[in-house]
Amino acid sequence: MGKEKIILDVDPGSDDAIAIAVAGRHPRIELLAITAVAGNQTLGKTAKNALKVCSHLGITGVPIAAGMSHPLVREPITAANVHGESGLDGVELEEPKLDLDPRHAVDLIVEMLSSLSGDINFVATAPLTNLAVALRKKPGIAKKIKRIVMMGGSYGLGNITPAAEFNIYADPEAAHIVFSSGVPIVMMGLDLTHQAVVTQDVIKRVECIDNEASRLFVGLMGFYSTRYRERFGFDGAPLHDPTTLAWLIDPSIVETKAMHVDVELRGEHTYGRTVCDYWCALGKLPNADVGVRLEVERFWDAICEALSFYS
Ligand code: RIB
Ligand code: CA
């Protein structure tokens, strides 16, 4: 199988950082660009964190651009309670030896999609503001996107409200634009990502890789998992964002189910919920393949293999 070309849209964020690591060296992935957006932390921090992670891991030659600093309509929110004030609490990364691309992320996305032949995956592990604005700025790019592979939403419980998952809740209007764009979508919601828990056994397995990427993983997961134990009573933190890369590397790692997904924009208690028609009750055409079951062992095999490509 050839390489999957991707633009990776992130809000580092501990799990975003591991998604960058997985994409950075994997032989199945061609990382064309990284775009940062406000989400887990403010844009200034998420963009700097993307630079720091790439500089620390020696990921070079990949344009990294800062994008939207605010959601389209709602007031901004962050997830400092989960990722810390820096967005990457748990590690102290050196000042990056890289600079941001001078272009705004939206312009980079539009330029890259317009100039290339349409076989690019847009991988989003953050609020969808950058992609939504790019689709509004140049609607024609929709047919140039091979598929959107995103972490966000759920057909079950939310994590930031009882009904909504953070990436969608942070910019529901942006998510609505993306889910109604007509671009094929693969959605890794919480129902799937909560099967990817970083247990102590996983930590021990990654520690044995013994390189910069594995040490970054262990450092970040220390802080991140403690938050999840305290907040959710989990046995560790779910590695949400890298599930998108794992699917791209080997789609058989995730069982998906075609569903029609709408985003709630008016509900007093359900604002930002992905309303997933699991049983096709409304008979609408599906607009997303939604992750339902993770091949857990093979997922961790893929993550460990991806981290092993670093020195
Ligand atoms: O709800 C989990 C998502 O929100 C992940 O992308 C995590 O990084 C945070 O952005
Ligand atoms: Ca994220």
Side-chain angles (χ1 to χ4, degrees):
M1 289 188 280
K3 284 181 179 256
E4 290 290 346
K5 293 189 175 95
I6 74 169
I7 294 172
L8 181 58
D9 194 65
V10 292
D11 62 335
S14 301
D15 54 335
D16 302 76
I18 304 306
I20 292 170
V22 169
R25 287 270 190 282
H26 203 286
R28 285 271 296 123
I29 302 290
E30 185 178 350
L31 181 56
L32 299 177
I34 294 174
T35 50
V37 69
N40 282 321
Q41 262 299 347
T42 57
L43 177 66
K45 292 181 179 178
T46 59
K48 181 86 175 274
N49 287 341
L51 288 173
K52 283 186 169 183
V53 169
C54 288
S55 179
H56 183 72
L57 294 178
I59 298 171
T60 56
V62 177
I64 302 169
M68 300 302 288
S69 60
H70 288 69
L72 298 184
V73 175
R74 62 159 299 146
E75 79 290 350
I77 59 170
T78 67
N81 60 321
V82 174
H83 298 271
E85 271 315 304
S86 74
L88 293 178
D89 281 25
V91 295
E92 285 291 333
L93 296 183
E94 64 280 2
E95 279 303 295
K97 299 179 185 67
L98 300 169
D99 294 315
L100 285 174
D101 188 287
R103 291 169 289 184
H104 187 286
V106 169
D107 295 329
L108 186 153
I109 292 166
V110 169
E111 277 175 41
M112 195 163 268
L113 289 173
S114 303
S115 62
L116 295 176
S117 59
D119 59 347
I120 299 179
N121 299 280
F122 193 91
V123 181
T125 65
L128 293 164
T129 320
N130 282 344
L131 180 54
V133 174
L135 286 165
R136 283 289 187 262
K137 181 165 187 174
K138 190 167 184 185
I141 63 169
K143 60 181 179 299
K144 302 296 289 295
I145 304 172
K146 182 176 181 180
R147 63 169 82 82
I148 297 164
V149 188
M150 56 161 290
M151 190 280 139
S154 68
Y155 52 83
L157 299 174
N159 61 358
I160 188 77
T161 74
E165 176 278 329
F166 177 83
N167 284 340
I168 308 299
Y169 186 70
D171 196 340
E173 288 73 15
H176 167 72
I177 289 171
V178 171
F179 276 96
S180 51
S181 67
V183 179
I185 294 173
V186 178
M187 171 181 141
M188 301 299 159
L190 297 177
D191 319 277
L192 190 280
T193 65
H194 281 178
Q195 299 173 53
V197 176
V198 182
T199 63
Q200 279 307 312
D201 286 349
V202 168
I203 292 285
K204 290 192 186 90
R205 181 172 173 187
V206 171
E207 274 173 341
C208 294
I209 300 170
D210 193 21
N211 66 15
E212 279 309 326
S214 69
R215 284 187 284 274
L216 178 68
F217 181 102
V218 172
L220 287 171
M221 292 304 118
F223 177 87
Y224 183 46
S225 285
T226 304
R227 299 280 78 74
Y228 260 85
R229 285 191 190 95
E230 289 168 355
R231 174 82 178 72
F232 296 95
F234 280 29
D235 185 22
L239 199 66
H240 302 285
D241 293 341
T243 59
T244 57
L245 277 304
W247 182 87
L248 269 173
I249 291 163
D250 179 354
S252 69
I253 288 177
V254 179
E255 179 187 342
T256 61
K257 180 177 172 56
M259 302 183 198
H260 186 85
V261 180
D262 283 307
V263 180
E264 179 56 62
L265 300 178
R266 287 186 287 277
E268 180 186 355
H269 306 292
T270 54
Y271 180 55
R273 179 170 181 75
T274 48
V275 181
C276 303
D277 194 350
Y278 188 96
W279 298 113
C280 197
L282 302 179
K284 292 182 182 177
L285 270 180
N287 57 350
D289 290 322
V290 179
V292 293
R293 192 179 60 79
L294 182 70
E295 287 281 347
V296 176
E297 267 315 298
R298 289 175 55 214
F299 172 73
W300 292 119
D301 291 346
I303 297 299
C304 289
E305 183 186 40
L307 298 179
S308 71
F309 293 126
Y310 291 85
S311 53

